[in-house]
Amino acid sequence: MNTLSRLFILSIVLMLTACTTMYLEGLEKIGIPKRDVMVSRVEKARDTQEETKEQFKSALEQFTAATNFSGGDLEATYKRLNDAYEASVSKADEVKTRIADIESVSEALFTEWKTEITQYSNASMKQSSQKKLDSTQAHYRQLIASMKQAEAKIEPILTVFHDQVMFLKHNLNARAIASLKGELGTIKSDVSALVASMEKSINEANAFISTMEQK
């Protein structure tokens, strides 16, 4: 990557950061603090993960049904499988966006919190606020790590799914069905691992939301 490209990317990042800051400041002016925005975004990410989990389970059902094809309209089978794949891609993109939304507001919240701690004149209050910040950041890091671990399991599934859908499209014959059957075991295992990881992340989100509401 050359210097011009780096400068262009940096300018985009700075512009997006400025937009995020202005947006959050605007919400605060109407009585919605960063803390509430963060909780709301974690809730949305949790709900998206739940939807994504169900979408991939549904896609697995379509994949399994396709392997059991024994005659009829193979074109229709391809269309159902492709629709399931595209819906899965859409949910994967949504998961990525939700995580990025949480990261942007958390950075603003924690930066503001750290600045405000320095403004305390009361040592006891300052210590108490620092302790809460440290605890919240630790819990947040655990949450984001869990969400990203779940997200990381999505792409390998989509890669295999995409290859099989394309192969079915280009062949529409017994050879394509045999290829689907050959990958069914891997797809089942990967989707099972994804669902388990998503459920763990959803539980982490619920715990984080509960903690934030108590603070």
Side-chain angles (χ1 to χ4, degrees):
M1 184 181 295
N2 58 38
T3 301
L4 186 59
S5 297
R6 290 194 183 95
L7 289 175
F8 176 73
I9 292 173
L10 178 59
S11 66
I12 293 296
V13 170
L14 291 174
M15 183 177 68
L16 292 175
T17 300
C19 289
T20 298
T21 300
M22 290 174 62
Y23 173 71
L24 293 173
E25 288 177 351
L27 289 178
E28 287 195 308
K29 288 179 180 178
I30 60 174
I32 305 176
K34 295 181 181 69
R35 178 196 194 85
D36 290 353
V37 176
M38 185 175 187
V39 170
S40 175
R41 290 186 179 183
V42 172
E43 289 174 340
K44 289 179 180 178
R46 175 202 61 194
D47 293 346
T48 295
Q49 286 187 316
E50 184 66 44
E51 293 165 2
T52 302
K53 181 186 74 173
E54 294 305 317
Q55 171 55 41
F56 274 81
K57 288 167 66 175
S58 175
L60 175 59
E61 290 175 1
Q62 289 295 335
F63 195 96
T64 302
T67 65
N68 294 325
F69 179 82
S70 59
D73 188 354
L74 196 50
E75 180 75 34
T77 297
Y78 156 73
K79 187 178 185 308
R80 286 193 295 271
L81 200 58
N82 187 57
D83 287 347
Y85 166 72
E86 290 182 350
S88 299
V89 170
S90 178
K91 279 300 171 187
D93 290 340
E94 191 175 340
V95 167
K96 187 182 296 293
T97 298
R98 295 299 188 194
I99 292 175
D101 287 344
I102 294 173
E103 290 181 310
S104 65
V105 71
S106 68
E107 182 179 350
L109 172 64
F110 293 141
T111 297
E112 179 183 79
W113 198 339
K114 289 175 184 177
T115 300
E116 291 176 345
I117 285 176
T118 65
Q119 298 171 8
Y120 277 106
S121 57
N122 184 297
S124 178
M125 290 181 177
K126 182 175 184 178
Q127 183 179 25
S128 176
S129 186
Q130 183 65 55
K131 185 176 179 180
K132 286 182 180 179
L133 171 59
D134 292 342
S135 174
T136 302
Q137 284 185 304
H139 203 167
Y140 164 76
R141 285 192 291 269
Q142 186 175 328
L143 168 67
I144 285 296
S146 181
M147 286 188 169
K148 288 188 173 182
Q149 285 171 4
E151 183 200 1
K153 296 183 185 300
I154 294 177
E155 193 58 38
I157 298 174
L158 290 179
T159 298
V160 175
F161 206 176
H162 174 263
D163 286 348
Q164 293 301 315
V165 170
M166 289 295 292
F167 192 69
L168 180 59
K169 177 183 179 182
H170 294 155
N171 291 277
L172 293 178
N173 55 27
R175 182 185 175 200
I177 297 301
S179 178
L180 292 177
K181 288 181 178 179
E183 290 291 349
L184 182 58
T186 298
I187 291 288
K188 280 185 175 180
S189 177
D190 288 350
V191 170
S192 178
L194 171 63
V195 168
S197 190
M198 283 285 182
E199 289 176 346
K200 178 183 177 183
S201 181
I202 289 167
N203 290 335
E204 287 284 356
N206 286 330
F208 182 82
I209 291 166
S210 178
T211 299
M212 289 293 282
E213 290 175 342
Q214 293 171 9
K215 289 182 182 294

